[in-house]
Amino acid sequence: MAAFDLQSANQRVRDSFAHQGFMKKLGVELRSVGEGTCELALRIDETMTQQHGFAHAGVTTTIADNAAGYAAYSIMPENSTVLTTEFKVNLLAPATGPELVARAQVIKPGRTLVVVRSDVYSIDGDDEAHVLTMLATEMCMMDKPDDKSH
Amino acid sequence: MAAFDLQSANQRVRDSFAHQGFMKKLGVELRSVGEGTCELALRIDETMTQQHGFAHAGVTTTIADNAAGYAAYSIMPENSTVLTTEFKVNLLAPATGPELVARAQVIKPGRTLVVVRSDVYSIDGDDEAHVLTMLATEMCMMDKPDDKSH
Amino acid sequence: MAAFDLQSANQRVRDSFAHQGFMKKLGVELRSVGEGTCELALRIDETMTQQHGFAHAGVTTTIADNAAGYAAYSIMPENSTVLTTEFKVNLLAPATGPELVARAQVIKPGRTLVVVRSDVYSIDGDDEAHVLTMLATEMCMMDKPDDKSH
Amino acid sequence: MAAFDLQSANQRVRDSFAHQGFMKKLGVELRSVGEGTCELALRIDETMTQQHGFAHAGVTTTIADNAAGYAAYSIMPENSTVLTTEFKVNLLAPATGPELVARAQVIKPGRTLVVVRSDVYSIDGDDEAHVLTMLATEMCMMDKPDDKSH
């Protein structure tokens, strides 16, 4: 495997992230990319709630999945793209916000499949609650452009 | 267990659905509720995409989760609310749309936990593709209002 | 994809099954192999129990996983072997036996990854209870012998 | 919640473990129990293999599930028993052995549901490989004896 190139990983992840319409709709922020890691953040409002007024599981899962995908993509080759094949989440506590942060970390790199753990925290000032934990499998697709417009 | 009351189930699910800000933001339609079943539909657009231009996994997962929750809620008692505790999805094919339909079915009813299968299909005219399959565990919370405003 | 060859699929699955020491230890029987399907059976006894006297989740999961792997393997090429990459199970009811049957069915074939649903039933005369449902991802490894002794 | 009583937790877990026929059949050793933790060990042999000669996924899953259940049971009340409701595993590397160790840790305690992470390592002298990671949901059943013979 080639040495990890942080600048290239950041560039590829940021380019890909910028092509995701759904991130723009939700207002998700790409906080950081490292070697097999990614952090995203989101301020929730009343347009992202379920019936009890907390962030919808679809919202917390979305940022957990996206962080997982980009944690995996950070260590994939240049001429590749990434696809989530499956994930499982346990919902641990109500996501009250107002800020949500997703932190993902590769736990098993592989040439084709990369296994990632991703966790979401609900943050209110100094209070941080662990609201979701995810195990995901990401697939590396070689020689495919990451961006549809290519 | 009390006999299933379709009208009451419909009323409770529609009331709950109407309190979910995230359903409004995405434009999800509640198609039908039955005894342990629920169907939702959604027309996707470029604000719901991932980087390849397909519906984001967060979008397909959101409607699968919501259909699962309401399939379970349909058979829960009047003075209860429903909470998703966990789910797992396999992403089977790109969700190209333009229409997505989620169909959920209870496979194991229980007093506290209800296990549900939920599937998402991408529909384009007569073409229908199976894009996601989910197994979810829903929890019945007794004597809690389903709506935050109570 | 080449036409399905039932005789070859049967032969490959039976050869592979015969190399699994754990199937022998448990006394699992390979009932049938079809195009993307597999059925296994097992009579449980007091050496396979958990603390309540039912079949251990490890036992029901073992036959569900094995049926899933061979359902997938049935549609893989001759010069390949199969590997389970991940699965999720919901335990639906106590596995009282005395007979357990696992039935697996491919729900999404792919060149590299095959998604399979696998269900375990506990059978006592005419009574059949659904005790476990599994979603599994199986991986096709090309040009690797299925048997370690090659 | 009552203060954690290590001696009582150990006693209850060891009593329960001793009633599991399947642990005896496999030769699993209960290494340690702590507040929300459990460690099990197993020496594998050729009666526990899949077709490539590694420990069968059913074997590694069995010890991961059992460690998860007892990690959760350690923090449950005296007059309760524990039931696994669901789990998901990712298989990360071949379990070559000769020793396998499962280490489980509660990540979210709850009155009814307890979420646990459980990991299996394959150990050969000083070499340790991470072979499986599991997320599991354990359920607390109040006023039920843990042992069938009661």
Side-chain angles (χ1 to χ4, degrees):
Chain A
M1 202 179 282
F4 177 68
D5 179 341
L6 180 59
Q7 201 180 328
S8 159
N10 253 284
Q11 196 54 57
R12 287 183 301 120
V13 171
R14 286 181 191 280
D15 285 351
S16 182
F17 187 85
H19 283 103
Q20 294 197 325
F22 199 46
M23 291 302 104
K24 225 165 291 171
K25 187 188 196 78
L26 297 182
V28 179
E29 175 200 349
L30 175 53
R31 279 265 177 91
S32 68
V33 178
E35 185 173 1
T37 67
C38 180
E39 184 173 321
L40 303 177
L42 170 65
R43 286 196 84 78
I44 56 171
D45 60 33
E46 73 287 352
T47 71
M48 303 181 202
T49 54
Q50 35 83 293
Q51 76 275 22
H52 308 119
F54 308 128
H56 198 284
V59 172
T60 49
T61 300
T62 294
I63 59 172
D65 166 50
N66 233 36
Y70 287 134
Y73 192 41
S74 75
I75 60 167
M76 291 180 182
E78 296 259 333
N79 53 333
S80 70
T81 186
V82 62
L83 216 60
T84 302
T85 67
E86 64 85 29
F87 57 75
K88 183 255 204 288
V89 299
N90 278 77
L91 303 167
L92 306 175
T96 50
E99 188 175 53
L100 301 180
V101 171
R103 297 185 189 117
Q105 161 101 44
V106 169
I107 58 176
K108 182 70 190 184
R111 220 175 30 145
T112 304
L113 298 181
V114 177
V115 181
V116 186
R117 174 166 299 148
S118 189
D119 292 281
V120 179
Y121 301 88
S122 178
I123 297 174
D124 184 4
D126 288 345
D127 290 337
E128 188 172 305
H130 191 187
V131 298
L132 178 154
T133 190
M134 172 186 277
L135 278 178
T137 308
E138 307 290 335
M139 192 173 191
C140 179
M141 311 282 280
M142 290 304 297
D143 302 317
K144 300 230 173 163
D146 182 71
D147 164 19
K148 61 171 173 173
S149 63
H150 284 222
Chain B
M1 201 178 282
F4 177 70
D5 178 340
L6 180 59
Q7 201 180 328
S8 159
N10 253 284
Q11 196 55 56
R12 288 184 300 119
V13 170
R14 286 181 190 279
D15 285 352
S16 183
F17 187 86
H19 283 101
Q20 295 197 323
F22 199 44
M23 291 304 102
K24 226 166 291 170
K25 188 187 194 76
L26 297 182
V28 179
E29 175 199 350
L30 175 52
R31 279 264 177 91
S32 68
V33 179
E35 185 171 4
T37 67
C38 181
E39 183 172 322
L40 303 176
L42 170 64
R43 287 196 83 78
I44 57 171
D45 60 34
E46 73 286 353
T47 70
M48 302 180 201
T49 54
Q50 35 84 290
Q51 76 274 24
H52 308 119
F54 308 127
H56 198 283
V59 172
T60 50
T61 299
T62 294
I63 59 171
D65 166 49
N66 233 36
Y70 287 134
Y73 192 41
S74 75
I75 59 167
M76 291 181 182
E78 296 259 333
N79 54 333
S80 69
T81 186
V82 62
L83 216 60
T84 302
T85 67
E86 63 86 28
F87 56 75
K88 182 255 205 287
V89 300
N90 279 77
L91 303 168
L92 306 174
T96 51
E99 189 175 52
L100 301 180
V101 171
R103 296 184 190 119
Q105 160 101 43
V106 169
I107 57 176
K108 182 70 188 184
R111 219 175 31 145
T112 305
L113 299 181
V114 177
V115 181
V116 187
R117 175 166 299 148
S118 190
D119 292 281
V120 179
Y121 302 87
S122 178
I123 296 175
D124 185 4
D126 289 344
D127 290 337
E128 188 172 304
H130 191 187
V131 299
L132 178 154
T133 190
M134 173 186 277
L135 277 178
T137 307
E138 307 291 334
M139 191 172 191
C140 178
M141 311 282 279
M142 290 304 297
D143 302 318
K144 301 231 173 163
D146 182 71
D147 165 19
K148 61 171 174 174
S149 63
H150 284 222
Chain C
M1 201 182 281
F4 177 69
D5 178 341
L6 179 60
Q7 201 181 328
S8 158
N10 253 285
Q11 196 54 56
R12 287 183 303 120
V13 170
R14 287 180 189 281
D15 285 353
S16 182
F17 187 87
H19 283 103
Q20 295 198 323
F22 198 46
M23 291 302 103
K24 226 166 288 170
K25 187 187 196 77
L26 297 182
V28 180
E29 175 199 349
L30 175 53
R31 279 266 177 89
S32 68
V33 179
E35 184 172 2
T37 68
C38 180
E39 183 172 321
L40 303 177
L42 169 65
R43 286 196 85 78
I44 56 171
D45 59 34
E46 73 286 354
T47 70
M48 302 181 202
T49 55
Q50 35 84 292
Q51 76 274 24
H52 308 119
F54 308 128
H56 198 284
V59 172
T60 50
T61 299
T62 294
I63 60 172
D65 166 49
N66 233 36
Y70 287 134
Y73 193 40
S74 76
I75 59 167
M76 290 181 182
E78 296 259 332
N79 53 332
S80 70
T81 186
V82 62
L83 216 61
T84 302
T85 67
E86 63 86 27
F87 56 75
K88 182 257 204 286
V89 300
N90 279 78
L91 303 168
L92 306 175
T96 51
E99 187 175 53
L100 301 180
V101 171
R103 297 184 189 119
Q105 160 101 43
V106 169
I107 58 176
K108 182 71 188 183
R111 220 176 31 146
T112 304
L113 299 181
V114 177
V115 181
V116 187
R117 175 165 300 148
S118 190
D119 292 281
V120 178
Y121 301 88
S122 178
I123 297 174
D124 184 4
D126 288 344
D127 291 337
E128 188 171 304
H130 191 187
V131 299
L132 178 153
T133 190
M134 173 185 276
L135 278 178
T137 308
E138 307 290 334
M139 193 174 190
C140 178
M141 310 283 280
M142 290 304 297
D143 302 317
K144 301 231 172 160
D146 182 71
D147 164 19
K148 61 171 173 176
S149 64
H150 284 223
Chain D
M1 203 180 283
F4 178 69
D5 178 341
L6 180 59
Q7 201 180 328
S8 159
N10 253 283
Q11 196 54 57
R12 287 184 300 119
V13 170
R14 287 180 190 281
D15 285 352
S16 183
F17 187 85
H19 284 102
Q20 295 197 324
F22 199 45
M23 291 303 103
K24 226 166 290 169
K25 187 187 195 78
L26 297 182
V28 179
E29 175 199 350
L30 176 52
R31 280 263 177 91
S32 68
V33 179
E35 185 172 2
T37 67
C38 180
E39 183 172 323
L40 303 177
L42 170 64
R43 287 196 82 78
I44 56 171
D45 61 32
E46 74 286 353
T47 71
M48 302 180 201
T49 55
Q50 35 84 290
Q51 76 275 22
H52 309 118
F54 307 128
H56 197 283
V59 172
T60 50
T61 299
T62 294
I63 59 171
D65 166 49
N66 234 36
Y70 287 135
Y73 192 41
S74 75
I75 59 167
M76 290 180 182
E78 296 259 332
N79 54 333
S80 69
T81 186
V82 62
L83 216 60
T84 302
T85 68
E86 64 85 28
F87 57 74
K88 183 254 203 288
V89 300
N90 278 77
L91 303 167
L92 305 174
T96 51
E99 188 175 53
L100 301 180
V101 171
R103 296 184 189 120
Q105 161 101 43
V106 169
I107 57 176
K108 182 71 188 182
R111 220 174 32 144
T112 305
L113 298 181
V114 177
V115 182
V116 187
R117 174 166 300 148
S118 190
D119 292 280
V120 178
Y121 301 88
S122 179
I123 297 175
D124 185 4
D126 289 343
D127 290 337
E128 188 172 305
H130 191 187
V131 299
L132 178 153
T133 190
M134 172 187 278
L135 278 178
T137 307
E138 307 291 333
M139 192 173 191
C140 178
M141 311 282 280
M142 290 304 297
D143 303 317
K144 301 232 172 160
D146 182 71
D147 164 19
K148 62 172 173 175
S149 65
H150 283 223

